[in-house]
Amino acid sequence: MFNYNLRHFDETLFAKLRSFRYAPRNFKSLNEDIGYFFSRIDYYVSLESLVRGYPVGKLLRENFSGGLLNYLLAAKNAGCFGHFGNAVDPVRFAVHFPTSETTLIWIPKNANTAVKRQLLQFEPEERRAKIRKHLFHETLQAEFGLDRLTWAKARPENTTIVVRNPYERIVSCYLDKFAGPVMRGGEFEGFVKTHIGAALALLDIDAPPERSLSFAEFISYVEHTPAYAWDDHWRPQFPFTFAYPDARLIPTSRLDLLTPRRPVKRANASVGAEFRPAEKLTGEFAETLPEKLTSSSITSYNQLVTPSLMARLRMLYGADEPLWEKALATAAADRAPARKRRQ
């Protein structure tokens, strides 16, 4: 059910990667962050393997060398390639907290600020002091992130992944990144403004980025963009789990399971309430531009989703449903012993 949209074939990317064969790249000569490049490598080797009939491992050996090659081969063995641009660098979103013995695989838009703060509080003061408030995720990743070469030799066990209802996540992403700045009179993040410009051009809308997008326009943009070009904030959740099939899944609705004896304090509350799948999809704001939205007018995420939009969202994010259901089942099973003890 993943988006294998190949209509926008990127010959420039293929030419770049094919040039690596004459001087295979290692970490030092790659000249860009492997975390951002990873999905494009997957796009390249998936298509090259399909067209040329070469094993993925052979293609990686043709283009990369040294520690980078060892890392990519380890990622291949973990199931991270062959997904036509949907793959996610398995280390970029992994942090290890030694005191609580927790390796967290974090997925953007899944209550990460609250979850990371909860686990960080158990770490020594000298390490916590290195985390900067205004660069929280970046400095925490630098301090507690996994080393790629170490990961290639021995992938972590006892991993935890916080999972969110896929449709609530995508509406929240839109409101936070595309609508919220307009509604609050603030600035877009740099990467968001770039995507707005690309979306307006794709949809043939002559307007400045400050106009932003309606939710329906945002989904059209995602639909017509190949998976390797998606930002991880709206990439499906399942690709983040490729290398961690045995991870413990916790739903965002049960963050208390993360550290049962200490409640998790929520952070960065999203605009609106929540997505209610059992209730009517009214969708009255699906086509509304952010300048006409207000926080008080959005009482349910269902107001941005029409039945026809929901069918399209299922094509994009339906593969996340089993992941969400498994997380809910895990949470329900965790409650069962407590009920039994009370009886």
Side-chain angles (χ1 to χ4, degrees), residues 31-254:
N31 296 326
E32 62 183 300
D33 185 88
I34 183 63
Y36 291 98
F37 194 44
F38 200 91
S39 298
R40 286 178 283 165
I41 294 173
D42 174 47
Y43 172 69
Y44 170 73
V45 298
S46 297
L47 278 184
E48 284 281 88
S49 179
L50 181 67
V51 173
R52 296 171 64 193
Y54 284 11
V56 169
K58 176 179 174 63
L59 292 168
L60 293 173
R61 290 184 178 91
E62 282 186 350
N63 293 279
F64 304 100
S65 64
L68 175 57
L69 173 61
N70 292 336
Y71 175 64
L72 295 177
L73 289 174
K76 177 192 77 71
N77 293 335
C80 293
F81 288 117
H83 306 288
F84 295 87
N86 256 296
V88 174
D89 178 7
V91 169
R92 184 181 173 208
F93 297 95
V95 285
H96 179 68
F97 297 94
T99 303
S100 57
E101 298 181 346
T102 300
T103 298
L104 174 71
I105 313 305
W106 59 278
I107 302 174
K109 294 305 303 171
N110 287 11
N112 290 302
T113 302
V115 170
K116 291 176 182 178
R117 284 177 179 169
Q118 184 71 2
L119 295 168
L120 181 63
Q121 68 179 315
F122 302 110
E123 299 305 318
E125 170 59 28
E126 60 268 24
R127 299 198 71 182
R128 286 188 282 118
K130 297 178 182 179
I131 311 305
R132 296 170 59 186
K133 180 178 179 181
H134 297 295
L135 290 171
F136 177 75
H137 296 289
E138 295 86 349
T139 53
L140 188 143
Q141 195 72 33
E143 180 66 20
F144 293 94
L146 304 185
D147 176 75
R148 288 185 172 88
L149 296 182
T150 301
W151 184 93
K153 295 177 181 178
R155 296 195 300 275
E157 298 180 350
N158 303 320
T159 50
T160 296
I161 303 177
V162 174
V163 180
R164 190 172 188 178
N165 178 293
Y167 310 113
E168 179 177 287
R169 177 173 174 262
I170 191 61
V171 176
S172 175
C173 172
Y174 166 75
L175 290 172
D176 178 34
K177 302 299 182 184
F178 293 84
V182 178
M183 295 163 66
R184 296 187 298 267
E187 296 290 329
F188 294 110
E189 295 176 68
F191 81 94
V192 174
K193 196 168 184 177
T194 298
H195 279 286
I196 292 173
L200 292 172
L202 179 69
L203 300 172
D204 196 24
I205 297 172
D206 185 13
E210 289 72 23
R211 168 196 184 273
S212 194
L213 307 169
S214 69
F215 182 65
E217 289 171 344
F218 169 58
I219 296 306
S220 292
Y221 172 61
V222 176
E223 286 177 318
H224 291 86
T225 308
Y228 70 84
W230 287 354
D231 186 84
D232 293 307
H233 287 84
W234 53 86
R235 185 180 300 282
Q237 297 169 83
F238 193 73
F240 293 83
T241 72
F242 285 148
Y244 306 100
D246 300 320
R248 180 193 183 202
L249 303 180
I250 294 178
T252 50
S253 56
R254 289 297 312 279

Side-chain angles (χ1 to χ4, degrees), residues 247-251 254 257 324-335:
R248 180 193 183 202
L249 303 180
I250 294 178
R254 289 297 312 279
L257 297 176
W324 172 243
E325 291 166 0
K326 184 177 179 181
L328 291 177
T330 299
D334 194 274
R335 284 197 298 262

